[in-house]
Amino acid sequence: QVQLVESGGGSVQAGGSLRLSCAVSGYPFSCYSMGWFRQAPGKEREGVASIDSDGRTSYADSVKGRFTISNVNAKSTLILQMNSLKPEDTAMYYCAASGVSCNVYKTGRYGMVYWGIGTLVTISS
């Protein structure tokens, strides 16, 4: 059974940093994309950053240059280092992972199917 468990959220002042972790267990796929999403109150969920099994990363424009996504121990731990935090970064942050075969992965036509329950990040001005 695939499980994703986030940790590291909290409250910090603007300009500060937080490091989010996502512990991934039971994940059987060798080709994958994993990422962080966030949802602020009253807003739709948005993608923040992702990394795939080829090591490619992508970031939302709003976090480029401030956030860094990485994998520790291959796919077992997903990290989001967040620096220079802004009040608009306040949201519930979710870890997510794909669940497709390598053949489907190569098409790029897939979405995230495994999700954590989230960790709250609050940035005060």
Side-chain angles (χ1 to χ4, degrees), residues 10 13 15 19-20 27 35 39 41 49 51 54 64 71 77 80 90 93 98 100 105-106 112-114:
Q13 289 190 327
R19 181 180 170 93
L20 303 185
Y27 192 76
Q39 187 167 20
I51 186 168
D54 291 316
K64 282 181 181 176
N71 266 345
T77 306
L80 185 67
T90 294
Y93 283 72
S98 60
V100 297
Y105 167 83
K106 291 174 184 176
M112 302 300 188
V113 296
Y114 300 106

Side-chain angles (χ1 to χ4, degrees), residues 1-120:
Q1 183 179 0
V2 178
Q3 288 190 320
L4 283 68
V5 180
E6 304 94 336
S7 62
S11 298
V12 298
Q13 289 190 327
S17 298
L18 283 173
R19 181 180 170 93
L20 303 185
S21 295
C22 176
V24 182
S25 60
Y27 192 76
F29 304 97
S30 58
C31 298
Y32 60 84
S33 176
M34 294 184 179
W36 290 93
F37 293 74
R38 67 186 181 186
Q39 187 167 20
K43 294 188 176 181
E44 293 187 353
R45 186 177 63 196
E46 63 174 347
V48 175
S50 67
I51 186 168
D52 65 21
S53 48
D54 291 316
R56 294 171 297 200
T57 59
S58 65
Y59 297 91
D61 287 343
S62 59
V63 307
K64 282 181 181 176
R66 300 189 297 123
F67 291 11
T68 303
I69 189 170
S70 61
N71 266 345
V72 177
N73 295 327
K75 54 188 177 181
S76 64
T77 306
L78 188 67
I79 301 293
L80 185 67
Q81 179 66 43
M82 306 188 295
N83 299 326
S84 303
L85 284 161
K86 303 176 181 180
E88 50 263 45
D89 294 319
T90 294
M92 186 70 81
Y93 283 72
Y94 299 91
C95 171
S98 60
V100 297
S101 67
C102 288
N103 284 338
V104 175
Y105 167 83
K106 291 174 184 176
T107 69
R109 298 175 182 174
Y110 59 89
M112 302 300 188
V113 296
Y114 300 106
W115 294 84
I117 62 172
T119 185
L120 182 62

